[in-house]
Amino acid sequence: MRNLVIILGDQLTLDNPALQAFDPSQDHIVMAEVMQESTHVWSHRQRITLFLSAMRHFAEALQARHFPLTYFKLESHDYPDLAAVWRAMLQQHQPEAVRVCEPGDWRVLQALQATAREHHVALDVPQDTHYMCSIPQFQRWAEQQKGSSLRMENFYRGMRKKYKLLMKGDAPAGGEWNYDKQNREHLGKEGPQNLKPSPRFAPDALTQAVIALVKKRFPDHPGKLDEFPWPVKRAQALKLLSHFIAEKLPQFGTYQDAMWQDSPYLWHSLLASALNLKLLNPREVIAAAEQAYQQGQAPLASVEGFIRQVLGWREFVRGVYWLEMPALKSANYFKHERDLPAWFWTGQTQMQCLSQCIGQTLETGYAHHIQRLMVIGLFSTLAELSPQQVADWFLAVYVDAVEWVELPNVAGMALYANGGRFTSKPYVASGAYIKRMSNYCANCRYDPTLKAGEAACPFTTLYWAFLIKHETLLAGNQRTRLMVQHVGKMTASEQSAIKAFASQRLKQIQQL
Ligand code: SF4
């Protein structure tokens, strides 16, 4: 055998560069489902189902093209992890080289390199052309930045120019690079109006078999499996994309930060899992959004906000991940060590916002970025939860979670665990922010305006305790300086009372 081509569970595209120049007479593909990939974090059952079903559908597409493939189904072997499968394949086939597209996880790359070394076989890792900025390109960009901080906005502008997206000559369309200020509307009293629900994809026979397998093999894992609506094939992902562009994109920008009781999806695209499995290419997603703007079907602020997420933030966090690993995995700037409360796995908390956001996560495997960042992430920072435990939780429970995207978002952005290397401030706010952006507080036993007392919102109490504790840091940052002005005006006894109440709240965190 010439090449043993490994296709990982999030590399499900025929454009996979490891398949370039594939010769069926000399090369062989291996794909494997292994327990470790679902158990190294306590994976949500919808996440496991999504990966296994999408992998099996992709294997069918390879087989339809008569590509020689060995596919290890979870129920048909005892190899505990990917390295054990690769070792067995190397012993059996004795290939000249192993080819695998750049993996999404640092951990998997280490395992590949160790296995290749152990077997004295050449390892060829072509760049993942799915991304619009390669790892070396990002590293070069990072080296050119002034100071030690990396800013998405600078990176994003460069990408807009490079790909000539939403540009008018050398200037940004509409005169502004970023319409974020128009992307923060709340839903008023009426809540979401004229919302057209995204298509849901009824499980076919293959997915039904995977659901049965997941129920049997992972009975104690978190997450419901009563419904499974996620796209597992490219055709389904394309349908979801078309629906988003036609029905949701026009209002996506305006309400992208809004939250509403029992409305988990609002105008969000739900495309992240399809993108991260490589069922969709970011170029086609961006092109569809830009075309909607050019044809007058969606306003610039919405289209720019969406393209900023895909072309800007998504590519940026991938670059940051490979730049910062493995240190990012153990980063803990604030030295937060508190264990996750048990209700992270049940959603049973009296805090309505967290009950909603965690509850829908366990039900669907999904929450949108503001629910993740400004409710769950915010509470985690304010409650001083261990960044490693929080990051593992996020990796476990979201259908779109792959470590390259999850870890920088959670540890780096939401928890400020690497001290602002690529975010300009800690993302902290009181219950007032959640009240403004949602209707959760109307159904909560706590009051977001109160700092102390039994009815006080835990977010608000902990926010003020956080400001008091980190006053010097926040006062030295242009973007948070105003936040702490009021702390300086508090008397010592006011500050002590808030700190004492916050400490009492945290002792009772399981009961909040
Ligand atoms: Fe969340 Fe506080 Fe509002 Fe309750 S009052 S929903 S805990 S922000």
Side-chain angles (χ1 to χ4, degrees):
M1 182 193 291
R2 187 182 65 166
N3 291 322
L4 179 67
V5 175
I6 296 171
I7 296 183
L8 299 166
D10 61 347
Q11 299 180 336
L12 309 180
T13 170
L14 292 168
D15 294 332
N16 185 329
L19 288 172
Q20 282 238 321
F22 184 83
D23 179 352
S25 68
Q26 301 187 76
D27 302 332
H28 192 89
I29 300 170
V30 59
M31 295 179 69
E33 304 168 0
V34 294
M35 283 301 281
Q36 194 215 13
E37 292 304 304
S38 301
T39 55
H40 75 101
V41 291
W42 198 33
S43 276
H44 194 299
R45 296 194 298 169
Q46 296 228 7
R47 179 172 183 261
I48 304 173
T49 302
L50 175 67
F51 270 82
L52 300 193
S53 173
M55 286 172 72
R56 290 184 185 194
H57 279 98
F58 185 67
E60 282 187 347
L62 292 173
Q63 281 155 346
R65 284 165 177 76
H66 305 292
F67 283 17
L69 164 71
T70 302
Y71 190 97
F72 291 84
K73 286 187 171 176
L74 194 67
E75 67 274 32
S76 60
H77 69 90
D78 292 323
Y79 297 115
D81 54 31
L82 289 169
V85 171
W86 303 333
R87 281 197 287 271
M89 290 296 286
L90 288 171
Q91 267 159 14
Q92 185 186 341
H93 294 286
Q94 302 288 323
E96 290 166 26
V98 171
R99 255 172 92 74
V100 57
C101 172
E102 284 171 334
D105 282 23
W106 185 86
R107 168 184 63 90
V108 175
L109 180 61
Q110 304 309 303
L112 277 164
Q113 289 170 338
T115 308
R117 267 196 310 273
E118 194 185 308
H119 286 264
H120 307 288
V121 64
L123 176 64
D124 179 16
V125 185
Q127 282 182 6
D128 192 343
T129 50
H130 168 90
Y131 298 99
M132 297 173 75
C133 180
S134 72
I135 294 168
Q137 281 165 354
F138 189 87
Q139 283 170 341
R140 280 197 294 279
W141 173 83
E143 281 160 15
Q144 289 158 6
Q145 302 311 296
K146 294 196 187 94
S148 59
S149 298
L150 304 174
R151 292 290 170 260
M152 191 284 286
E153 184 65 26
N154 299 337
F155 170 78
Y156 167 59
R157 291 181 188 190
M159 292 291 278
R160 288 266 299 275
K161 286 183 204 162
K162 178 177 173 184
Y163 285 97
K164 298 186 173 40
L165 285 163
L166 295 181
M167 297 296 292
K168 206 166 180 196
D170 291 336
E176 302 284 340
W177 287 103
N178 183 318
Y179 292 88
D180 197 29
K181 288 200 178 82
Q182 295 177 41
N183 296 156
R184 298 174 191 157
E185 282 299 314
H186 53 77
L187 288 160
K189 287 201 167 58
E190 297 76 30
Q193 304 290 313
N194 304 319
L195 181 58
K196 304 243 175 71
S198 299
R200 301 168 71 80
F201 303 99
D204 60 8
L206 187 157
T207 302
Q208 284 174 21
V210 171
I211 290 171
L213 173 72
V214 171
K215 283 182 176 167
K216 189 169 161 208
R217 294 293 289 263
F218 304 96
D220 61 341
H221 274 234
K224 293 195 176 158
L225 261 178
D226 306 340
E227 288 188 67
F228 181 82
W230 298 104
V232 291
K233 299 188 280 195
R234 178 165 163 76
Q236 294 172 333
L238 286 169
K239 192 171 169 193
L240 190 59
L241 172 62
S242 299
H243 179 275
F244 170 69
I245 298 292
E247 306 292 351
K248 286 185 159 188
L249 181 60
Q251 282 176 286
F252 163 79
T254 312
Y255 298 119
Q256 67 171 286
D257 286 4
M259 300 173 278
W260 197 258
Q261 177 100 5
D262 300 325
S263 296
Y265 306 126
L266 296 174
W267 286 273
H268 290 271
S269 74
L270 315 185
L271 292 169
S273 64
L275 273 164
N276 294 350
L277 293 176
K278 319 283 160 61
L279 303 180
L280 291 176
N281 189 292
R283 292 164 189 80
E284 66 190 336
V285 171
I286 290 168
E290 192 185 32
Q291 190 183 38
Y293 166 64
Q294 304 289 7
Q295 295 178 347
Q297 290 157 2
L300 181 57
S302 271
V303 173
E304 188 281 319
F306 180 70
I307 288 180
R308 184 167 5 107
Q309 285 195 359
V310 182
L311 178 74
W313 188 247
R314 182 172 188 264
E315 298 282 337
F316 179 76
V317 295
R318 179 187 184 245
V320 164
Y321 174 79
W322 286 103
L323 207 60
E324 299 285 298
M325 281 298 281
L328 186 57
K329 192 98 181 135
S330 55
N332 193 349
Y333 178 79
F334 289 126
K335 300 197 172 32
H336 289 169
E337 302 289 353
R338 184 165 284 104
D339 290 337
L340 239 55
W343 45 258
F344 262 65
W345 299 105
T346 64
Q348 287 168 8
T349 161
Q350 300 178 79
M351 291 179 280
Q352 182 66 10
C353 52
L354 281 160
S355 165
Q356 281 280 308
C357 296
I358 294 177
Q360 78 169 62
T361 297
L362 296 173
E363 179 107 14
T364 66
Y366 179 81
H368 70 66
H369 69 278
I370 287 297
Q371 295 176 305
R372 298 188 203 194
L373 174 69
M374 292 307 290
V375 179
I376 305 170
L378 171 59
F379 181 84
S380 303
T381 303
L382 297 178
E384 306 188 342
L385 303 184
S386 148
Q388 284 67 46
Q389 290 188 31
V390 177
D392 281 355
W393 182 85
F394 271 86
L395 185 59
V397 297
Y398 290 109
V399 289
D400 49 56
V402 188
E403 193 179 77
W404 67 263
V405 64
E406 172 273 329
L407 190 61
N409 269 301
V410 176
M413 187 184 192
L415 308 180
Y416 203 73
N418 64 346
R421 169 91 162 110
F422 57 92
T423 52
S424 55
K425 60 171 187 174
Y427 281 82
V428 289
S430 70
Y433 173 83
I434 294 170
K435 181 169 188 268
R436 186 165 71 250
M437 297 310 298
S438 76
N439 66 339
Y440 295 151
C441 302
N443 303 306
C444 186
R445 67 150 286 206
Y446 298 112
D447 182 339
T449 64
L450 299 179
K451 293 190 191 74
E454 256 325 290
C457 164
F459 281 82
T460 303
T461 305
L462 297 174
Y463 168 73
W464 284 101
F466 184 93
L467 296 191
I468 293 165
K469 185 169 179 180
H470 299 289
E471 185 184 358
T472 311
L473 168 81
L474 299 170
N477 182 328
Q478 284 279 69
R479 294 196 66 198
T480 50
R481 196 159 36 94
L482 286 178
M483 257 183 194
V484 281
Q485 266 184 357
H486 190 69
V487 173
K489 293 177 194 153
M490 284 177 170
T491 63
S493 68
E494 277 175 318
Q495 293 196 7
S496 300
I498 288 174
K499 284 198 282 188
F501 189 62
S503 153
Q504 190 188 326
R505 280 291 200 214
L506 290 175
K507 278 194 194 122
Q508 301 163 341
I509 196 167
Q510 300 289 0
Q511 285 78 48
L512 286 176

